[in-house]
């Protein structure tokens, strides 16, 4: 009888699952480690979960607004987000994805939510879509290392990259508003449908893209999301027109 060395069989099974698209060891819904801990003996629970905050405010949006408004700089806002306990997404995500690029840049890009790569690295737009975004920006001589600041509406990855729910967007919005106020860009780029819904209250990126509007008191340009461009290369032509429009607006308002 074999001694139970199943390494190669296990590895083959794992490779097969990765091939099928599995990228996380998670279930359909995020694991709520807090309620899990509640069902365990006290000593064991203390080992797997930090203590709950003493006072948990009841309205998530109020709590978000208070937390966001208490931040006086970007690091303070990051800390306020990290301490915010009302969003279920936080419990299923590995990391808080706050922002990347150059704070105080004239252009701030607001995407939707972290995906797998962003969740792993703790930075927005670092996967395939992010790499395309970097190439698009370079084409107009812009980049996160010098003149672009990037964040997302949601700082935590939704399970299996599902669309964020309206209540999740609503509770994160005060943080995005404060983020824009603290970063103080001249212009916003609102990337994709979810971001347009969150910041403009409108959907339908195909109609919205390329048309300058206003969001959070700033001129804002809705654009196709780079993930959409990866699936629909023909739309890159429109994206190029939008990049040129962004560049022209920067020049006009310099
Ligand atoms: N898509 C987004 O909207 N944001 C990211 O950070 C990554 C992919």
């Amino acid at each position: 009888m074999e001694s139970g060395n199943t390494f190669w069989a296990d590895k083959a099974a794992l490779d097969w699952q990765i091939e099928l698209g599995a990228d996380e060891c998670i279930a359909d819904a995020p694991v709520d480690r807090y309620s899990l801990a509640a069902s365990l003996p006290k000593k064991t629970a203390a080992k797997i979960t930090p203590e709950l905050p003493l006072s948990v405010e009841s309205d998530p949006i109020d709590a978000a607004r208070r937390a966001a408004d208490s931040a006086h700089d970007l690091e303070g806002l990051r800390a306020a987000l990290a301490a915010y306990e009302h969003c279920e997404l936080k419990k299923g995500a590995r990391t808080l994805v706050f922002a990347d690029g150059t704070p105080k840049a004239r252009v701030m890009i607001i995407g939707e939510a972290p995906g797998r790569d962003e969740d792993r690295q703790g930075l927005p737009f670092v996967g395939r879509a992010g790499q395309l975004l970097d190439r698009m920006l370079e084409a107009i001589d812009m980049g996160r290392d010098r003149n672009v600041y990037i964040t997302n509406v949601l700082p935590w990855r939704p399970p299996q990259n599902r669309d964020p729910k309206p209540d999740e967007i609503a509770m994160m919005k005060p943080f995005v508003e404060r983020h824009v106020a603290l970063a103080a860009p001249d212009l916003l780029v609102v990337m994709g449908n979810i971001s347009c819904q969150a910041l403009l209250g409108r959907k339908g990126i195909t109609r919205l893209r390329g048309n300058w509007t206003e969001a959070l008191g700033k001129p804002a340009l809705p654009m196709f999301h780079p993930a959409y461009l990866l699936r629909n290369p023909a739309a890159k032509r429109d994206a190029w027109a939008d990049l040129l429009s962004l560049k022209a607006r920067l020049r006009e308002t310099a």
Side-chain angles (χ1 to χ4, degrees), residues 157-176:
R157 180 193 184 192
Q160 276 129 31
N161 298 343
R162 67 155 168 76
D163 280 353
K165 298 177 187 163
D167 67 317
E168 292 162 348
I169 293 177
M171 70 178 88
M172 286 301 124
K173 196 164 169 196
F175 289 104
V176 182

Side-chain angles (χ1 to χ4, degrees), residues 35-225:
S35 59
L36 193 70
S39 64
L40 294 170
K42 243 185 171 180
K43 261 191 177 169
T44 322
K47 281 186 195 149
I48 64 164
T49 185
E51 245 174 49
L52 286 166
L54 282 178
S55 84
V56 177
E57 288 155 281
S58 51
D59 180 43
I61 301 177
D62 273 359
R65 190 161 307 285
R66 258 194 292 277
D69 289 351
S70 72
H72 299 297
D73 55 26
L74 293 172
E75 273 319 302
L77 187 66
R78 182 201 288 267
L81 262 171
Y84 183 74
E85 298 295 346
H86 293 267
C87 186
E88 285 295 302
L89 296 177
K90 178 180 185 180
K91 295 171 188 160
R94 288 182 191 206
T95 53
L96 168 75
V97 177
F98 182 65
D100 194 22
T102 308
K104 309 275 177 199
R106 292 188 65 203
V107 174
M108 180 167 178
I109 296 177
I110 306 185
E112 299 178 348
R116 183 192 58 171
D117 297 313
E118 290 76 20
D119 185 42
R120 291 204 168 144
Q121 296 185 42
L123 292 170
F125 283 103
V126 290
R128 276 186 72 219
Q131 287 157 23
L132 174 58
L133 175 63
D134 284 338
R135 291 198 297 278
M136 288 162 62
L137 292 170
E138 282 303 333
I140 52 165
D141 194 22
M142 300 194 76
R144 55 179 105 192
D145 59 338
R146 51 196 192 280
N147 49 15
V148 178
Y149 186 60
I150 306 180
T151 189
N152 284 309
V153 173
L154 291 167
W156 294 292
R157 180 193 184 192
Q160 276 129 31
N161 298 343
R162 67 155 168 76
D163 280 353
K165 298 177 187 163
D167 67 317
E168 292 162 348
I169 293 177
M171 70 178 88
M172 286 301 124
K173 196 164 169 196
F175 289 104
V176 182
E177 287 169 359
R178 190 76 185 133
H179 207 154
V180 170
L182 291 170
D186 291 344
L187 308 175
L188 295 178
V189 173
V190 187
M191 214 130 229
N193 242 334
I194 301 284
S195 314
C196 285
Q197 201 181 339
L199 301 185
L200 310 176
R202 275 181 288 163
K203 262 175 138 179
I205 189 67
T206 313
R207 266 176 296 112
L208 293 170
R209 64 136 284 272
N211 295 305
W212 282 93
T213 178
E214 204 186 274
L216 310 181
K218 309 272 177 193
L221 180 64
M223 281 188 66
F224 281 136
H225 194 285

